[in-house]
Amino acid sequence: MTGIEAMDRREMLRVPSSSYGEICARRFLPLKRRMERQTARRESCRAQPRVRIALRPYQDDVFKDRSSGILILHWSRQIGKSFTLAAWAVDRLLSRPGRLVTVLSNSRENGAEFVAKCAEVCHLNGTEYESVDKSQGVRFQNMRMEVRIRANGKVGRIKVLAANPRTARGFSGDLILDEFAFHEDSAAIWEAAEPILASNPDYMCRIASTGNGRHNLFYRMVSGGGRSVGGSGDPPDPARDSRGGKDADFQQVAGSDGQVARATQEWGIGTGLSGGSGDPPDPARDSRGGKDADFQQVAGSDGQVARATPEGGIGTGLSGGSGDPLGAFAPAAARVARQNGQVARATQEGKRDDPAHGFPVSRITRSQAHQMGVKIYDSNTREAITPEEARAQALDKRAYDQNYECAFADENLTLLSHELITSAERDDVGFICEGDWSVGVLGMMREAKGNLYVGFDVGRKVDLSVITVMEDLNGLKVVRGILRIQNMRLPEQQERLGEICRLPRFRRAAIDMTGLGLGLFEYAQEKFGSSKIHGINFSTTVPATRAVALEGRKRETVRVTEALAMELLQVYEDRRIQHPADARLRDDLRKPEKITSPGGRVSIAATRDEAGHADHFWSFALALEAGASAPGPFYYRAIPRERGVLL
């Protein structure tokens, strides 16, 4: 009998019984306390990791986190992200027998790779497992792979499924969203998954990805969207993240020898608050680093990398919030490093788990991982190189920064760069009219030498209607006239189109017939004939074009918007287009971005603002399509009849 139980029994003897309920309560009090102690011991055992393998510091922090219900990993490629999550998933099955961990993957290849990582973890940990592929066929949507682990007589499963809202609704347990930035319908997936996670306090979620532009939920979560699925957080602003700026003090801690070791951004475990004015590392200023080596090896005691981590594990910042990276929660001075020289990070205590400030975010760049032992090798010589050398060798620096330095790409996803647009601008090739064609513009187009093709992107109130007239001069596309129309009734817009269709050199017009443009298209086709009026429905698919095939994709069909956009991009890259120089036009041409889906499908997304929805861009693309689909001139040659031959 313990001392506590003896004291409880003495207390029961002193207190007179007044009712049967009190007698029962006193009798079962020792049993209740014994059960509470057993539960506490069981929870303590569950908190201890059952997977015992070597991990790097930034991996170990995420793996051992048992307090964050939802944790976001914004990590570079090739630094052990999948291996870390696989170790975490296996540990959940061992510490919670019978648990289901659902992994939603962005592709079949990545799903199979995650299963292989789980098998590797089990092998290193000495854990017996069974791997099962229950996929029906080879289609990505039918992917269903499992890793089964028996613990305490119960079988737990790691189930790897295709990422979509349907599979997100079917799980009950822990959830891993792998490469979430590349999931189609990411907002719908999260909307389906979040209520299930909220139904049990023991269910945990890990969301991991590299960046994929700014048109996805992962970007909003990392940059300050927090729990709001439909919200949009401002992007991290690297321009404010200066090493010597006003927030530099919290990044420095004093070592025992008087040296100053930089924490957080340079050592790689989180960077203060993302969203608002708390910014991620700036890839343009950080050192660059390379390829993942054997990420299970960690530096020895003689060269061990000092970890910059908060107490208890995760080196994270918090998404959401506003103000300075540490704001009012910043300590007066950074903590002093311990005697062995390890870096102690000045953390924001009390704020990390506050849901009002968004989800915890672990941001690890390639450069930061390199400082912790990840090797980088030259792609040709296979020699070890520095991070700076790795980035210098990259052909596309902006794509490199997104893939390896945790920057959310903007310019590299924009179809038309400033350089391409500027090279096509001319001051004397055409004119831009507002509301109606001018007499001078109509006169110039009436005297055109080449064939005229028209693109009509139809709008009404929210978006502009834009009519583009493009002259074909032996393959050179010259924009002779652009008409911007806003808040004009469709019959009046039809009149503006009719003025162009009556020009002598007019050959064909392509009209946006999606939604409200359908009526205008039908009217124009009835009046000018189906050979001259062609309708384009932006929601349909078409056979893959040559420009799409040149990118190396082997899909037989693509979305209309992708086909149109890629053909226009090809014309700009070939320097076969000229158009007027105009600031509003230039901004509109820069709006569309290329977004790649999990299965390799490409869509074109364009930001909407008060100036419209890339209306000039689509008008250009439609005019180009009108010229490409126009029937060519008819040629014939008489074939002489030979005597005695019946033709």
Side-chain angles (χ1 to χ4, degrees), residues 161-482:
L161 304 173
N164 59 59
R166 175 180 56 82
T167 55
R169 281 185 168 85
F171 81 97
S172 179
D174 299 322
L175 177 65
I176 294 176
L177 299 177
D178 189 26
E179 294 296 349
F180 189 51
F182 295 85
H183 287 195
E184 280 192 61
D185 300 325
S186 58
I189 290 174
W190 183 246
E191 183 180 1
E194 189 179 27
I196 301 175
L197 294 171
S199 67
N200 190 317
D202 195 44
Y203 290 169
M204 290 188 171
C205 177
R206 297 297 179 259
I207 303 172
S209 187
T210 52
N212 184 30
R214 306 187 180 199
H215 291 275
N216 54 73
L217 184 60
F218 180 77
Y219 166 73
R220 298 202 296 271
M221 284 180 162
V222 171
S223 61
R227 293 183 178 272
S228 175
V229 172
S232 60
D234 294 336
D237 185 3
R240 294 191 303 265
D241 185 22
S242 173
R243 293 288 183 264
K246 62 187 177 68
D247 300 311
D249 290 343
F250 83 94
Q251 296 182 19
Q252 298 180 344
V253 293
S256 60
D257 56 356
Q259 293 180 339
V260 176
R262 284 194 292 177
T264 62
Q265 292 177 347
E266 301 243 333
W267 285 96
I269 319 277
T271 57
L273 294 179
S274 63
S277 63
D279 309 322
D282 182 1
R285 288 183 297 272
D286 287 343
S287 58
R288 300 307 190 263
K291 218 170 178 182
D292 183 22
D294 183 5
F295 45 75
Q296 284 187 259
Q297 297 178 353
V298 294
S301 59
D302 56 342
Q304 190 172 9
V305 179
R307 280 186 278 173
T309 61
E311 290 184 6
I314 304 291
T316 68
L318 289 175
S319 66
S322 60
D324 295 342
L326 292 181
F329 292 86
R335 297 177 181 173
V336 178
R338 290 188 299 178
Q339 203 67 12
N340 62 2
Q342 281 188 315
V343 179
R345 183 181 172 204
T347 59
Q348 315 140 48
E349 284 150 315
K351 193 169 184 178
R352 179 179 178 279
D353 293 322
D354 183 358
H357 293 88
F359 306 122
V361 178
S362 171
R363 184 181 288 107
I364 309 295
T365 68
R366 198 183 201 185
S367 300
Q368 295 162 345
H370 175 260
Q371 295 182 15
M372 298 187 193
V374 176
K375 301 297 183 182
I376 311 170
Y377 298 97
D378 186 282
S379 57
N380 293 322
T381 66
R382 313 312 300 163
E383 300 274 339
I385 58 176
T386 65
E388 293 83 358
E389 292 170 334
R391 187 175 188 272
Q393 293 177 2
L395 298 178
D396 189 335
K397 299 297 189 293
R398 286 180 288 268
Y400 180 95
D401 290 341
Q402 175 168 255
N403 287 328
Y404 298 108
E405 296 300 328
C406 295
F408 285 100
D410 183 11
E411 174 69 18
N412 71 310
L413 291 183
T414 300
L415 286 179
L416 300 180
S417 65
H418 283 298
E419 179 185 3
L420 290 177
I421 297 173
T422 302
S423 66
E425 291 179 337
R426 301 290 188 276
D427 293 328
D428 56 352
V429 297
F431 298 90
I432 300 176
C433 301
E434 304 284 348
D436 200 357
W437 296 109
S438 68
V439 176
V441 172
L442 289 175
M444 180 191 67
M445 291 189 291
R446 192 172 288 111
E447 298 175 359
K449 303 299 181 183
N451 294 331
L452 298 179
Y453 300 99
V454 175
F456 192 172
D457 186 56
V458 183
R460 179 68 169 87
K461 292 183 178 180
V462 179
D463 296 329
L464 290 173
S465 285
V466 178
I467 301 176
T468 296
V469 181
M470 191 176 287
E471 183 179 3
D472 190 337
L473 297 176
N474 297 322
L476 178 65
K477 315 298 181 182
V478 182
V479 177
R480 295 303 187 188
I482 299 174

Side-chain angles (χ1 to χ4, degrees), residues 76 91 158 173 181 185 245 316 351 499 526 606 636:
S76 160
D91 187 77
I158 300 172
D185 300 325
T316 68
K351 193 169 184 178
E499 293 181 276
E526 180 181 354
Y636 74 94

Side-chain angles (χ1 to χ4, degrees), residues 48-54 63 124-125:
Q48 298 299 319
R50 302 297 179 88
V51 173
R52 296 177 176 86
I53 57 177
F63 170 72
L124 293 171
N125 197 53

Side-chain angles (χ1 to χ4, degrees), residues 23 76 97 160 243 358 375 480 495 516 553 567 580 593 621 631:
I23 294 174
S76 160
V160 182
R243 293 288 183 264
K375 301 297 183 182
R480 295 303 187 188
E495 295 177 5
L516 119 89
R553 282 179 279 132
E567 291 297 325
E593 296 180 349

